[in-house]
Amino acid sequence: MTRVFSGVKPTGHLTLGNYLGAIRRWVDVDQRQSDALFCVVDLHALTVDHDPARVRRLSRQAATLLLAAGLDPELCTVFVQSHVDEHARLSYVMECVATDGEMRRMVQYKEKAARERERGGSVRLSLLTYPVLMAADILAYGTDEVPVGDDQTQHVELTRDLAVRFNQRYGHTFVVPRATRPGVAARVMNLQEPTSKMGKSDDSGPGIVYLLDEPEVVRKKVMRAVTDSGAEIVYDREARPGVANLLEILAACGGGNPEDLSGVYESYGTLKKDTAEAVVELLRPVQERHKELCADPAYVEGVLRDGAEKAREMAKPMVDSAYRAIGLLPA
């Protein structure tokens, strides 16, 4: 079977964008058609200033929500990154293959470093090197496919480059993975800033629908969503980003097509109301299951423990092979 790997970073509460852009596909497609691993990548959360207790809390919440959304430990492997030492072991080896120039060309690093410099500060070294850790996450499992959004495609391309370079220098060791992208709502945008992604670590709360938002909170956020000038409802990502975002969310919730839906509505109010109700109904079973899992923390802990053990069994032979190939003595 095709092996799939993907993960979520516990830097904020999971959002509607995370669900529609990634998690739902993991549940409906990837875990059923692939040998799939899904990981809470907590080591990546350490690349910026953070509260340790919050990282632990969000890591547990993210894992619980992944299970609540429908990931089944009988069908896939769910675990926490830091519970599997092979990620860090392989990351250093891949740092010895990557170049400084490659790291500094990463768009996310350039953007975050520039913002920090404007404030008179500097970023952590781990922010520069974390794409290599991401490459190690993927390569350790012989991954064939990595389902990602547009903002992570560059990192998968780096992973491919590093795998090819390692194989050419030290002998064939790694599978060269490929990025796969979901269709509609692959990139859900902020309701208040529809040209920006709905990011879980964003500060603009009114524009972000979180998976655990109460129904009335969801309705209020969607009804206050920014639209565009002009009364006609047209699906145009460039010229009408606000309306396009609502149409894409509605389409993704109901399995429709945003262009077709644009011809159904004559007012922003009706579009917003229907979108809000569609989101509330989409999130209802996830929230109900989340409450059940929170009442049984031992179950979640057991899933993560078993998942980490299974992940270690898969990753260790690959990482040991990379160590031998690059010239390290076996233990």
Side-chain angles (χ1 to χ4, degrees), residues 50 65 130 320:
H50 64 276
L65 278 169
Y130 100 87
D320 286 349

Side-chain angles (χ1 to χ4, degrees), residues 6-152:
S6 198
V8 294
K9 185 164 58 174
T11 51
H13 300 285
L14 295 182
T15 72
L16 178 67
N18 296 129
Y19 183 77
L20 290 178
I23 297 170
R24 188 170 65 172
R25 176 184 169 85
W26 299 351
V27 171
D28 294 343
V29 178
D30 293 323
Q31 71 170 346
R32 302 178 186 282
Q33 299 181 3
S34 312
D35 179 9
L37 299 98
F38 302 107
C39 181
V40 178
V41 287
D42 53 344
L43 294 176
H44 291 291
L46 310 185
T47 61
V48 295
D49 288 341
H50 64 276
D51 173 12
R54 185 171 186 266
V55 170
R56 283 191 291 269
R57 184 171 65 253
L58 289 176
S59 296
R60 187 175 295 108
Q61 182 188 88
T64 305
L65 278 169
L66 291 179
L67 297 174
L71 288 185
D72 183 348
E74 297 296 321
L75 299 176
C76 65
T77 304
V78 182
F79 66 105
V80 176
Q81 179 190 30
S82 64
H83 294 175
V84 181
D85 293 345
E86 278 63 32
H87 291 256
R89 287 181 62 209
L90 184 56
S91 181
Y92 179 74
V93 167
M94 301 314 294
E95 283 186 19
C96 298
V97 178
T99 68
D100 176 74
E102 285 175 316
M103 297 299 98
R104 296 187 187 279
R105 285 194 294 272
M106 295 291 108
V107 172
Q108 289 192 20
Y109 170 76
K110 290 195 293 186
E111 291 177 349
K112 291 180 180 180
R115 286 197 297 267
E116 196 60 36
R117 282 195 298 270
E118 289 175 0
R119 293 195 289 260
S122 61
V123 297
R124 298 182 181 188
L125 177 62
S126 55
L127 184 65
L128 177 66
T129 60
Y130 100 87
V132 175
L133 175 57
M134 181 175 171
D137 298 337
I138 297 165
L139 297 176
Y141 297 99
T143 302
D144 299 295
E145 295 182 356
V146 187
V148 292
D150 295 339
D151 58 328
Q152 291 294 329

Side-chain angles (χ1 to χ4, degrees), residues 57-286:
R57 184 171 65 253
L58 289 176
S59 296
R60 187 175 295 108
Q61 182 188 88
T64 305
L65 278 169
L66 291 179
L67 297 174
L71 288 185
D72 183 348
E74 297 296 321
L75 299 176
C76 65
T77 304
V78 182
F79 66 105
V80 176
Q81 179 190 30
S82 64
H83 294 175
V84 181
D85 293 345
E86 278 63 32
H87 291 256
R89 287 181 62 209
L90 184 56
S91 181
Y92 179 74
V93 167
M94 301 314 294
E95 283 186 19
C96 298
V97 178
T99 68
D100 176 74
E102 285 175 316
M103 297 299 98
R104 296 187 187 279
R105 285 194 294 272
M106 295 291 108
V107 172
Q108 289 192 20
Y109 170 76
K110 290 195 293 186
E111 291 177 349
K112 291 180 180 180
R115 286 197 297 267
E116 196 60 36
R117 282 195 298 270
E118 289 175 0
R119 293 195 289 260
S122 61
V123 297
R124 298 182 181 188
L125 177 62
S126 55
L127 184 65
L128 177 66
T129 60
Y130 100 87
V132 175
L133 175 57
M134 181 175 171
D137 298 337
I138 297 165
L139 297 176
Y141 297 99
T143 302
D144 299 295
E145 295 182 356
V146 187
V148 292
D150 295 339
D151 58 328
Q152 291 294 329
T153 301
Q154 186 185 33
H155 292 153
V156 180
E157 289 303 314
L158 172 70
T159 302
R160 290 172 55 85
D161 291 342
L162 295 180
V164 169
R165 188 178 306 154
F166 189 101
N167 290 345
Q168 290 175 342
R169 290 181 180 176
Y170 306 113
H172 185 79
T173 304
F174 296 118
V175 174
V176 180
R178 59 187 177 274
T180 58
R181 300 171 187 80
V184 171
R187 198 175 191 193
V188 178
M189 311 307 278
N190 190 298
L191 294 174
Q192 292 298 313
E193 301 175 24
T195 57
S196 301
K197 187 182 73 168
M198 186 183 283
K200 60 181 175 294
S201 51
D202 198 322
D203 292 331
S204 53
I208 304 172
V209 175
Y210 298 103
L211 294 189
L212 295 179
D213 276 346
E214 294 290 336
E216 283 309 310
V217 174
V218 172
R219 294 185 181 101
K220 184 179 295 185
K221 288 179 177 180
V222 175
M223 293 304 294
R224 292 179 178 177
V226 169
T227 50
D228 313 291
S229 60
E232 187 180 7
I233 296 178
V234 178
Y235 179 68
D236 187 330
R237 257 284 182 198
E238 298 299 321
R240 309 289 292 278
V243 171
N245 191 37
L246 291 171
L247 289 168
E248 287 199 351
I249 291 171
L250 179 59
C253 289
N257 181 289
E259 292 186 1
D260 294 341
L261 288 172
S262 66
V264 174
Y265 293 94
E266 297 181 354
S267 72
Y268 291 142
T270 306
L271 171 61
K272 288 181 176 181
K273 181 180 178 183
D274 285 359
T275 302
E277 292 307 315
V279 173
V280 167
E281 291 307 311
L282 181 77
L283 298 184
R284 190 185 306 281
V286 177

